[in-house]
Amino acid sequence: MRFGRVSPVAGPGRRASAYGGPEVRLPFDDRAEAGALLAARLSGLGLRAPVVLALPRGGVPVAIPVARRLEGALDVLVSRKIGCPGYPELGVGAVAEGGEPVFDPGMLRRTRLTEESVAHVVERERAELARRVAVYRGGRRPPDTAGRDVIVVDDGLATGVTARAALRAVRERGPGRLVLAVPVGAPDTADALREEADEVVLLATPARFHAVGQWYRRFDQLDDGDVLRLLGREPAGGDV
């Protein structure tokens, strides 16, 4: 089992610095600023021409400055939350492209659900995952990550279930070094994800963590068109 390292804890107005990187203050102005700060932190890890995989939608504007500074290849890795029937915002698992569903055993117990009882939700999310892959990648093949340094980027970690599914999907492809890079995350979640990546890099892990958006002054909701514009890609087969 592999274990990564995690940044020290920071709360609102407090600072966190790891691996000799710059200190940061919360909240971030926006995802672009968070990405630039994250890129500076990652530049000290000695990664070589990494593949930078953004979890859309929110991870894309964070990943752009990371890929630019590290001269990495930027693409997306679609990961979808498996919601509790009737309460879709309550995630009991997730599924990422190229991977199998990953469930949170604790959430399944608390909601009195089983993997079998949410099978219909999994199929629905697989369909939406396939739609987004087609839109974002437009028939392009995903980047080859075998033997290469890979950075998985998102805008924040709450439960971490979508990040876990994404990391496991990438691990199946045999990367040389697997890094999870996120500007801000819940402390317990960050610690739990150490077993999924070789490095877990966070700028801040505030103790009073309720939602990702609380740590950004500007936290716009993005749509498929925003993702395509950020990636510099035209919609496949017309408007999205």
Side-chain angles (χ1 to χ4, degrees), residues 81 89 91 104 154-164 180 182 184-193 202 206 209-215:
K81 179 169 59 179
E89 293 305 311
D104 182 333
D154 205 356
D155 56 5
L157 288 177
T159 65
V161 66
T162 53
R164 186 182 299 275
L180 174 64
V182 184
V184 62
D188 290 346
T189 300
D191 190 56
L193 286 173
L202 280 90
F209 193 104
H210 301 292
V212 173
Q214 76 184 105
W215 307 109

Side-chain angles (χ1 to χ4, degrees), residues 79-114:
S79 183
R80 293 285 300 170
K81 179 169 59 179
I82 300 168
C84 175
Y87 301 91
E89 293 305 311
L90 180 61
V92 298
V95 59
E97 58 176 304
E100 293 300 315
V102 174
F103 292 96
D104 182 333
M107 285 303 299
L108 287 176
R109 286 194 300 271
R110 285 193 289 275
T111 55
R112 298 182 181 180
L113 295 170
T114 65

Side-chain angles (χ1 to χ4, degrees), residues 25-42:
R25 284 189 177 275
L26 297 175
F28 302 108
D29 285 337
D30 54 21
R31 293 182 179 93
E33 183 205 36
L37 293 168
L38 191 61
R41 187 70 51 83
L42 288 162

Side-chain angles (χ1 to χ4, degrees), residues 18-235:
Y19 317 131
E23 294 181 334
V24 300
R25 284 189 177 275
L26 297 175
F28 302 108
D29 285 337
D30 54 21
R31 293 182 179 93
E33 183 205 36
L37 293 168
L38 191 61
R41 187 70 51 83
L42 288 162
S43 66
L45 295 186
L47 300 167
R48 301 179 58 184
V51 177
V52 180
L53 297 177
L55 301 188
R57 301 181 174 105
V60 176
V62 180
I64 288 173
V66 171
R68 184 179 298 124
R69 175 152 184 171
L70 275 62
E71 299 182 347
L74 175 65
D75 211 316
V76 294
L77 176 65
V78 183
S79 183
R80 293 285 300 170
K81 179 169 59 179
I82 300 168
C84 175
Y87 301 91
E89 293 305 311
L90 180 61
V92 298
V95 59
E97 58 176 304
E100 293 300 315
V102 174
F103 292 96
D104 182 333
M107 285 303 299
L108 287 176
R109 286 194 300 271
R110 285 193 289 275
T111 55
R112 298 182 181 180
L113 295 170
T114 65
E115 295 182 18
E116 291 74 20
S117 67
V118 295
H120 65 291
V121 181
V122 174
E123 291 309 306
R124 184 174 67 232
E125 294 304 336
R126 281 193 184 277
E128 174 60 15
L129 187 153
R131 186 197 69 80
R132 292 197 186 194
V133 169
V135 169
Y136 299 154
R137 198 168 288 126
R140 303 174 187 86
R141 293 180 60 84
D144 183 9
T145 57
R148 299 183 63 180
D149 292 342
V150 179
I151 308 173
V152 174
V153 180
D154 205 356
D155 56 5
L157 288 177
T159 65
V161 66
T162 53
R164 186 182 299 275
L167 290 167
R168 289 188 182 180
V170 175
R171 183 69 80 187
E172 289 295 317
R173 304 175 193 174
R177 187 176 177 190
L178 180 56
V179 178
L180 174 64
V182 184
V184 62
D188 290 346
T189 300
D191 190 56
L193 286 173
R194 289 187 304 155
E195 65 188 52
E196 306 290 348
D198 301 313
E199 302 273 356
V200 176
V201 179
L202 280 90
L203 300 179
T205 51
R208 295 181 179 88
F209 193 104
H210 301 292
V212 173
Q214 76 184 105
W215 307 109
Y216 290 84
R217 291 190 179 91
R218 181 179 178 185
F219 195 70
D220 298 336
Q221 295 301 307
L222 305 176
D223 59 24
D224 290 345
D226 294 323
V227 171
L228 291 172
R229 283 189 290 274
L230 287 165
L231 295 174
R233 297 174 181 174
E234 293 297 325

